[in-house]
Amino acid sequence: MILKAIPLLVLFSGAVAQVPPGRNNRSFESFEVATIKLVKPEDVRAPRYIRMESAHRFIVKNTTVSGMIAAAFNLNQNMISGGPEWMTAGRFDVVALTPGDERPTLDDQMRMLRRLLTERFKLTFRTEKKKLPVYVLTVAKGGSRLSPDTVPQDQSPLLTPTLFPAASGGIDHVLIRGRNATVPQLASILQRAVTDRPVIDNTGMQGRYNFDLEWTPDDSQFGGTLPFGAPDSGKPGLYTAIEQQLGLMFNSTKRDVETLIVEGLEQPSGN
């Protein structure tokens, strides 16, 4: 049986985190225009993602304000507290147009998303250090299995996550395909969208790599929102997959991390 792959939720693909040489990114302070709509209750099971749909069209689909904050500030959901109940219950669609002639980098996109949150949702917050359970990403005893990329360093990195459904219903496994990607970028995606706690990169690896990470998710991942079915592929769990496929490993501990406390938030106007 051929199963159709589904784009992964609340993740980014094909985005550059650095500014190419000679580029001026001061024009990417805010979106030119943005439309915000509250998702109808009957539509909340639709796919959820945040991404550039084209060179100048930024899309937030079926995402909570808490999810937008996590993406915009590169946080795990457990690093966000405070705020009204609708911050984690209501879901929104955002369609925004970006300024300038160039496609914004991931840093540009998140800067503009932060501006949208403060201007349209009236987000106010403070930060506070808290001791939280974390995963520390390190190199496994057998050494890294990541393959160095040989493309120019200023070429766009790709981190393309995909969900594969199970024949019996639910999700069978997840694939994150990385090309010209860094270990910190992988840790960032795992932290803000996959794991139930912050992820701290302690590998010391500075290069860009090609890798495929495949695993069967459990109910502690993706905020417990994935529909789980009986897996068919026999893929390992995330922590085993990271060690077997990438030569990296998670160590559970507690660390002082900077958290975000929402002090003010308002329902936005539609336009």
Side-chain angles (χ1 to χ4, degrees):
M1 182 177 187
I2 299 175
L3 302 177
K4 184 179 179 181
I6 307 171
L8 191 58
L9 318 181
V10 200
L11 293 177
F12 301 86
S13 62
V16 189
Q18 73 276 1
V19 179
R23 176 171 160 188
N24 184 345
N25 75 331
R26 287 179 296 179
S27 62
F28 293 112
E29 295 300 323
S30 62
F31 296 115
E32 284 192 335
V33 62
T35 300
I36 304 171
K37 293 182 179 180
L38 183 65
V39 175
K40 297 178 181 178
E42 59 268 27
D43 296 332
V44 296
R45 294 186 64 84
R48 301 189 295 276
Y49 54 81
I50 302 174
R51 70 187 184 202
M52 290 296 297
E53 191 174 71
S54 65
H56 300 292
R57 186 178 172 91
F58 179 83
I59 302 293
V60 176
K61 185 69 174 177
N62 194 24
T63 300
T64 64
V65 176
S66 180
M68 286 187 250
I69 293 172
F73 292 89
N74 192 26
L75 299 173
N76 181 270
Q77 292 280 354
N78 289 332
M79 300 164 74
I80 304 169
S81 61
E85 182 179 352
W86 62 265
M87 183 179 80
T88 57
R91 296 184 180 276
F92 294 85
D93 289 342
V94 178
V95 178
L97 299 181
T98 64
D101 298 326
E102 299 183 52
R103 181 189 180 101
T105 69
L106 179 55
D107 285 346
D108 296 331
Q109 296 165 42
M110 295 304 99
R111 183 185 307 108
M112 291 186 287
L113 181 57
R114 291 192 294 271
R115 183 76 169 264
L116 180 140
L117 287 166
T118 58
E119 291 186 345
R120 300 289 292 277
F121 289 87
K122 307 303 181 186
L123 171 67
T124 58
F125 62 92
R126 61 186 173 88
T127 59
E128 181 178 303
K129 284 286 186 74
K130 293 184 180 179
K131 187 176 287 292
L132 296 177
V134 301
Y135 292 122
V136 178
L137 190 62
T138 61
V139 179
K141 290 183 179 179
S144 167
R145 297 186 178 183
L146 295 174
S147 301
D149 202 346
T150 57
V151 302
Q153 290 294 295
D154 60 354
Q155 185 167 321
S156 300
L158 296 176
L159 280 169
T160 308
T162 307
L163 295 174
F164 291 85
S168 57
I171 299 302
D172 179 82
H173 69 282
V174 181
L175 165 67
I176 294 181
R177 175 163 288 135
R179 297 294 182 268
N180 193 34
T182 68
V183 175
Q185 288 168 347
L186 172 63
S188 175
I189 276 187
L190 293 173
Q191 166 176 281
R192 70 176 180 259
V194 179
T195 63
D196 59 349
R197 60 183 68 180
V199 177
I200 298 173
D201 172 34
N202 199 30
T203 63
M205 299 177 66
Q206 302 298 319
R208 296 184 176 275
Y209 304 93
N210 295 331
F211 57 84
D212 291 332
L213 176 62
E214 292 185 275
W215 79 94
T216 298
D218 61 44
D219 58 9
S220 72
Q221 296 162 21
F222 303 99
T225 61
L226 291 185
F228 293 98
D232 308 302
S233 63
K235 302 294 182 184
L238 175 61
Y239 313 110
T240 300
I242 285 175
E243 184 166 1
Q244 290 180 346
Q245 299 167 20
L246 306 185
L248 307 177
M249 63 184 298
F250 273 157
N251 297 291
S252 298
T253 185
K254 286 189 174 182
R255 291 277 182 90
D256 286 328
V257 296
E258 191 165 88
T259 66
L260 184 148
I261 301 171
V262 175
E263 296 186 321
L265 199 67
E266 297 180 11
Q267 292 271 6
S269 60
N271 294 294

